[in-house]
Amino acid sequence: MIAGRLSAVSGVQAISLSIAPRRGAVSLVEIAVLASCIIAAAVVSNRYAVDIMIRTFLWAGLALAWNIAGGYAGLISFGHAAFFGIGAYTSTILLLNFGVPPWFGMFAGALIAACAGALLTRVCARLRGPLFILSTLAAGEVVRIAALNWRSLTGGPEGLEIPPVPNVVDMVFKSQWPYVAIIVAYMLAMFALSAWIEQTRYGYYLFATRDNEDGASAIGINPSHTRTAAMALSAATTAIGGTLFAQYFLYLDPTHVISPDISFQFALICAVGGLGTASGPVFGALIIVPLSELLRGLLSQSTSGLHLVIYGIIVIVVILYFPSGVSGAIGRTVSRFFPAGGFAARVQTEKYDAQA
Amino acid sequence: MSTILQLLVSGIMLGGIYAVMSIGLTLIFGVLKIVNFAHGEFLMLAMYAAWAVVSATGMTTYTAMAVVTPLLFCFGLLVYLLIVRPGIEKPHLVVVFATMGLSIAMQNLALVAMTADLRDVAPLFGGTPIKFGPLYFRVELLLGFLISIAITLALMMFVKRTYIGKAIRATVQDRDAAMLMGINVPRLFLLTFAGGSALVGIAGCIMLPLYSTFPTVGLNFVLIAYVVVVLGGMGSMEGAFLGGICIGIVQSLSGYYVAPAYGQMFYFLIFLLVMIFRPNGLLGQRGAAMVGINE
Amino acid sequence: MLKLDAVGRQFGSLWAIRDVSFTVEAGEIVGIIGPNGAGKSTLFNLIAGAVVPTTGAIRFLDRTIDYGKPYHVARCGLARTFQIPKPFKQLSVRENVMLSALRRHHTPRQANSVAMAIMEFIRIGELAEASVASLTVGQLKKLELARALATEPVLLLLDEVMAGLTPPEIKDMMTVIASLPRRGVTVVWVEHVMMAIMNVAERIVVIHQGQVIAQGKPADVSKDPAVVGAYLGEKYAYAAR
């Protein structure tokens, strides 16, 4: 196995490296993709292209956040828009009413979202599968309706507007570049967090709880705590993405920010990219966001909505025929060319299958 | 006094409509153990189909049912073969995401084909409500309610009396045992999915005169359908009827006494409370809450 | 080490286990046998902390077991296997075993070396990178045992580890179980494969209709008329004479 080992910053843990993307290692493919994202960000100077790039990286970071609950812990949530909205609204309300800079406001939002996520997981402690999914959907709707009707706080359906006065303290900029930097930093932080989770005991506790709760209990893992912690972390990081969203678009309203469509988007990006890996959500976002933006640009003159028809069909095809997502497909292809590189596990599995 | 009576009766009637809309979903869940996340778009399709038939031929939506129901049956068949069957033996997430992709595609296809304009049909008898003692009803609501009772009763009879119905009940309880007893489970899945879709066709015809249709009409109603189905217990038809009535009453009362905007909030809160205290629903099979735990 | 004091558990109006008392000393291999429906599984789940007793108390290492919190019981050094294996399906065999070692060894790398040693001991070392889905029943049972051992327990509860195994696999497993006390692991073992349990266990507790009807050395128990009548059947009754 080529998989090299570098000592990480923490010194406690070693980072595994592999060529092809796989769980439990940072792969050269991922590093190449992330590096080319950053280079592309630095080189491209077309305002439209940079806008697409910012959206893509923001969605990649958000999908990584969703993946902590949905992919690693198996808590498929269709209510994450609520956490996203909590993050966006908390920092914006703090900024508009109390002048608190979003740099701090986002952590307040993250804290509230973490509590909400923990509460939701506790409330739905006995639910699994479809019922859990539907409950998260209902919880998201409760938050949306609350935001829609609590006019004094949220501005109701008219939404909130952040004054477009450039100011570093308020995280409002005239140029796109500071946003690129902030959002790339967010995505990279989420990627690093995911890669870290995959290689530590906490991550393995999540996998165990996801795969078999009784089995996890029997080896000393408290499934309920594990699930709650995963959801809280996922909610908090989603909320931070929400703040960045608010600061980039400078406008919020419940129908667009807390809509179930946002939650579905988080989940579908992960599903298309590959659930439960750090590379999946990044690849998913890199494919889906630019594709739907470009298709929208291409097709908008003729017919609105056609880009989403294509998007829906892509989702169906990928889900049914590439169950481990784009990231899994890339992993298989790359490891075919570099058989020794980090995908030893899979190759060996096939050997045993052949024996049996 | 007559206000509250009027509200209760309208709520019950509205609930009947909600029950019809949800009964296909609960049937599919009970037998296949999957949630069709494109259920709302099936309803949207049914409403558009009913609208198309009505505007092309000038018949009422109730007679259009004869066309729309078989159409939705065939559509369900197609969706089952193309999307559900390839995913049904895989982890339950596959069907969740695949039907969600279908929902997005259908919604936007409708947007492309029909634009975002509202489509509706002319009310029966010029929209004059009928008077019954101190109470007033919209004719369409009353008709819809009667049809919903008829359908629920017919389905319950079907499930109790016929072979397929008994096979359905057996499969709801224990799929593996049903298979061992010689029930052709794959074919039953196909029939149930198509049959559940046909029921959505009926619901679409009942609902078109009451609400207008537009590409995202499904999302509003599917959320109600989820609440109804979970409230009644997933897989239980009597439960769906009861759940529909509950939600109808809640909506009718809260719309009058609190504010229509908060009505939705109420039933989502009820939903969450039911999930906390009776995760199997009011009339659901035991253990339904744990479905999918080790898949 | 383990002490059951008049333990009972009621399901509805039925007592699955009633007034069961016995003790297990450190270093023993205690077999629990009984006909189908005797209450073995309930007893097993009671000791593992998965089921709360209606009456009586279970003490492990001189502390009352934290009923209803199996993860807590596991952390105190009591490991169990499941009759139907419960592996983590999306992980490799090595990761499955490594996960059990993670509670004591905090980094995956340290846990890995523990896992490798245990897999060698159970003789599934060569399966380390295989996916769980590709394993046979026998291999899954071995994995189940490896996962329990990797928690480095002082008391191990085995639930029908022999069921579904081929004769050579049973022999392997018997050798492994017999060597456990030397590694400092006390064993409580529920089993249906008589040949295995009668040869390996030092003491047998016989459960019938939720109650202990006999306990003692395998040879004595198999001669006990109550046991023969209740359970062992003609073949063993004949062998006992």
Side-chain angles (χ1 to χ4, degrees):
Chain A
M1 198 192 273
I2 294 180
R5 289 191 178 272
L6 298 175
S7 61
V9 193
S10 66
V12 184
Q13 188 63 39
I15 292 178
S16 303
L17 270 182
S18 68
I19 293 182
R22 68 179 171 94
R23 183 179 45 71
V26 175
S27 76
L28 297 182
V29 171
E30 289 157 9
I31 292 172
V33 167
L34 291 173
S36 42
C37 288
I38 293 164
I39 292 168
V43 172
V44 175
S45 58
N46 173 327
R47 196 168 173 86
Y48 175 58
V50 173
D51 179 59
I52 292 184
M53 210 143 59
I54 291 175
R55 288 166 192 255
T56 307
F57 298 158
L58 180 60
W59 279 103
L62 286 163
L64 280 163
W66 186 89
N67 190 45
I68 294 174
Y72 294 142
L75 298 165
I76 304 297
S77 157
F78 286 170
H80 258 53
F83 307 134
F84 182 70
I86 288 173
Y89 270 101
T90 305
S91 66
T92 306
I93 290 166
L94 285 175
L95 174 68
L96 295 181
N97 297 357
F98 306 102
V100 179
W103 302 100
F104 302 112
M106 66 179 167
F107 294 107
L111 190 67
I112 296 175
C115 296
L119 180 71
L120 176 66
T121 321
R122 283 295 152 121
V123 162
C124 301
R126 286 198 285 168
L127 307 176
R128 300 292 175 268
L131 289 194
F132 183 84
I133 299 180
L134 293 180
S135 300
T136 56
L137 189 58
E141 284 296 284
V142 169
V143 173
R144 182 179 66 86
I145 297 161
L148 210 49
N149 292 289
W150 194 349
R151 283 164 186 273
S152 58
L153 189 69
T154 63
E158 289 84 40
L160 293 176
E161 207 172 325
I162 300 173
V165 184
N167 183 349
V168 179
V169 178
D170 293 349
M171 212 196 269
V172 179
F173 305 97
K174 193 161 183 287
S175 149
Q176 286 175 309
W177 297 110
Y179 289 116
V180 173
I182 293 170
I183 286 170
V184 165
Y186 171 64
M187 176 182 76
L188 287 180
M190 289 311 301
F191 182 80
L193 177 64
S194 303
W196 177 80
I197 287 174
E198 283 180 14
Q199 300 189 22
T200 53
R201 61 199 296 229
Y202 309 108
Y204 275 101
Y205 287 179
L206 297 184
F207 303 153
T209 309
R210 170 193 70 191
D211 283 0
N212 196 314
E213 248 171 86
D214 290 341
S217 263
I219 59 171
I221 300 168
N222 182 336
S224 159
H225 282 181
T226 314
R227 288 156 60 91
T228 309
M231 188 59 105
L233 181 61
S234 174
T237 47
T238 304
I240 289 178
T243 300
L244 301 184
F245 176 91
Q247 294 303 126
Y248 179 62
F249 291 99
L250 299 179
Y251 172 72
L252 289 177
D253 73 277
T255 317
H256 289 100
V257 172
I258 317 183
S259 108
D261 286 341
I262 297 271
S263 307
F264 297 161
Q265 180 88 336
F266 294 151
L268 290 177
I269 287 178
C270 292
V272 167
L275 277 179
T277 58
S279 54
V282 176
F283 290 152
L286 282 177
I287 291 168
I288 283 184
V289 181
L291 188 77
S292 50
E293 293 293 329
L294 290 176
L295 284 174
R296 171 153 60 191
L298 281 177
L299 303 170
S300 62
Q301 269 73 39
S302 49
T303 37
S304 61
L306 196 56
H307 66 286
L308 287 171
V309 177
I310 296 171
Y311 167 60
I313 293 170
I314 290 176
V315 167
I316 299 173
V317 171
V318 171
I319 295 298
L320 290 180
Y321 300 102
F322 302 94
S324 52
V326 175
S327 142
I330 292 177
R332 276 193 297 279
T333 317
V334 173
S335 57
R336 195 169 298 151
F337 292 109
F338 302 94
F343 233 65
R346 198 186 63 82
V347 176
Q348 225 165 352
T349 311
E350 282 178 355
K351 198 176 78 193
Y352 285 107
D353 286 346
Q355 279 175 358
Chain B
M1 187 59 214
S2 78
T3 316
I4 195 160
L5 193 65
Q6 172 78 51
L7 287 171
L8 277 176
V9 173
S10 328
I12 290 171
M13 292 196 168
L14 190 64
I17 309 276
Y18 288 165
V20 175
M21 170 180 88
S22 317
I23 216 158
L25 190 69
T26 205
L27 188 68
I28 292 171
F29 179 83
V31 175
L32 283 81
K33 301 285 182 279
I34 59 164
V35 175
N36 176 9
F37 275 90
H39 188 80
E41 279 59 45
F42 280 43
L43 183 68
M44 179 267 296
L45 177 71
M47 287 169 80
Y48 270 116
W51 174 81
V53 171
V54 170
S55 26
T57 63
M59 55 168 91
T60 66
T61 51
Y62 304 99
T63 38
M65 223 177 255
V67 182
V68 175
T69 309
L71 184 82
L72 260 284
F73 185 89
C74 297
F75 184 73
L77 213 67
L78 199 70
V79 169
Y80 179 79
L81 293 177
L82 289 179
I83 293 175
V84 178
R85 197 173 62 179
I88 199 144
E89 290 305 324
K90 296 182 183 146
H92 79 278
L93 285 179
V94 171
V95 174
V96 169
F97 287 133
T99 53
M100 188 159 271
L102 178 68
S103 140
I104 293 172
M106 284 179 71
Q107 218 176 77
N108 290 285
L109 204 59
L111 189 63
V112 171
M114 304 299 297
T115 73
D117 297 347
L118 300 184
R119 312 278 172 172
D120 40 30
V121 293
L124 292 176
F125 312 125
T128 333
I130 48 171
K131 194 168 182 292
F132 196 82
L135 304 172
Y136 289 89
F137 307 113
R138 283 188 63 183
V139 186
E140 292 90 345
L141 194 62
L142 186 63
L143 268 174
F145 181 67
L146 294 177
I147 294 175
S148 86
I149 289 181
I151 284 176
T152 311
L153 288 177
L155 264 179
M156 279 161 64
M157 293 287 278
F158 174 78
V159 162
K160 292 226 161 66
R161 297 281 164 83
T162 62
Y163 173 77
I164 294 179
K166 286 175 186 163
I168 285 177
R169 275 193 299 156
T171 314
V172 167
Q173 279 180 19
D174 190 330
R175 179 191 301 185
D176 293 334
M179 192 139 26
L180 290 174
M181 293 300 119
I183 291 170
N184 185 344
V185 170
R187 207 189 54 177
L188 193 70
F189 280 7
L190 178 82
L191 283 177
T192 307
F193 197 87
S197 309
L199 288 170
V200 180
I202 297 176
C205 293
I206 297 175
M207 289 167 75
L208 183 65
L210 293 164
Y211 310 91
S212 32
T213 181
F214 48 97
T216 52
V217 70
L219 185 64
N220 294 326
F221 289 116
V222 80
L223 291 173
I224 298 175
Y226 293 147
V227 176
V228 166
V229 163
V230 168
L231 200 60
M234 285 186 124
S236 160
M237 276 171 253
E238 302 91 321
F241 195 77
L242 201 68
I245 304 266
C246 288
I247 294 304
I249 292 175
V250 167
Q251 196 175 18
S252 166
L253 290 181
S254 67
Y256 184 82
Y257 287 107
V258 192
Y262 283 104
Q264 269 190 311
M265 179 106 122
F266 271 105
Y267 55 72
F268 285 123
L269 285 175
I270 291 176
F271 174 98
L272 288 175
L273 288 176
V274 169
M275 286 290 89
I276 299 168
F277 296 109
R278 270 193 80 94
N280 298 326
L282 300 175
L283 299 177
Q285 45 174 148
R286 276 179 58 214
M290 302 303 272
V291 166
I293 181 167
N294 282 333
E295 285 178 278
Chain C
M1 170 165 282
L2 182 72
K3 188 171 184 339
L4 278 75
D5 192 12
V7 174
R9 169 71 205 203
Q10 203 176 8
F11 290 109
S13 61
L14 179 83
W15 286 89
I17 283 291
R18 187 163 211 174
D19 204 20
V20 167
S21 303
F22 64 87
T23 53
V24 177
E25 300 301 331
E28 270 193 308
I29 298 182
V30 175
I32 299 177
I33 62 172
N36 286 329
K40 300 191 297 293
S41 291
T42 306
L43 182 62
F44 196 92
N45 284 326
L46 281 164
I47 301 174
V51 172
V52 185
T54 315
T55 61
I58 305 169
R59 294 178 70 77
F60 170 57
L61 296 176
D62 293 325
R63 284 168 53 199
T64 303
I65 275 188
D66 209 346
Y67 309 117
K69 293 185 178 163
Y71 47 89
H72 212 260
V73 176
R75 285 175 205 170
C76 296
L78 192 153
R80 70 168 293 180
T81 67
F82 289 93
Q83 191 178 343
I84 298 159
K86 300 204 172 189
F88 307 123
K89 285 177 198 160
Q90 297 184 36
L91 305 180
S92 70
V93 170
R94 175 182 55 77
E95 286 174 313
N96 265 276
V97 183
M98 184 264 278
L99 246 164
S100 300
L102 271 175
R103 183 146 283 284
R104 286 186 200 272
H105 307 275
H106 289 194
T107 68
R109 193 199 271 188
Q110 292 166 336
N112 248 331
S113 51
V114 176
M116 288 315 255
I118 284 172
M119 284 189 291
E120 286 307 321
F121 173 61
I122 310 282
R123 296 180 203 161
I124 50 171
E126 76 279 13
L127 293 173
E129 299 304 328
S131 79
V132 171
S134 68
L135 300 187
T136 64
V137 178
Q139 288 166 338
L140 277 174
K141 291 273 183 175
K142 284 183 175 177
L143 172 59
E144 195 66 21
L145 180 59
R147 290 193 329 137
L149 280 178
T151 63
E152 296 172 55
V154 289
L155 178 63
L156 177 63
L157 303 178
L158 299 175
D159 196 356
E160 304 210 7
V161 283
M162 300 297 186
L165 267 59
T166 62
E169 284 173 335
I170 289 182
K171 246 182 141 180
D172 265 13
M173 197 70 112
M174 283 168 67
T175 323
V176 168
I177 294 171
S179 71
L180 287 176
R182 284 201 299 280
R183 296 170 67 103
V185 182
T186 308
V187 179
V188 173
W189 181 12
V190 170
E191 189 54 75
H192 257 146
V193 178
M194 283 305 136
M195 181 274 284
I197 199 164
M198 287 303 193
N199 280 311
V200 176
E202 293 153 10
R203 200 150 60 81
I204 298 281
V205 176
V206 188
I207 309 280
H208 184 47
Q209 290 174 346
Q211 288 176 309
V212 176
I213 56 166
Q215 53 178 315
K217 287 198 162 46
D220 302 337
V221 165
S222 59
K223 282 184 203 129
D224 190 308
V227 178
V228 176
Y231 176 69
L232 284 177
E234 287 308 307
K235 195 171 135 210
Y236 275 86
Y238 178 75
R241 260 183 260 136

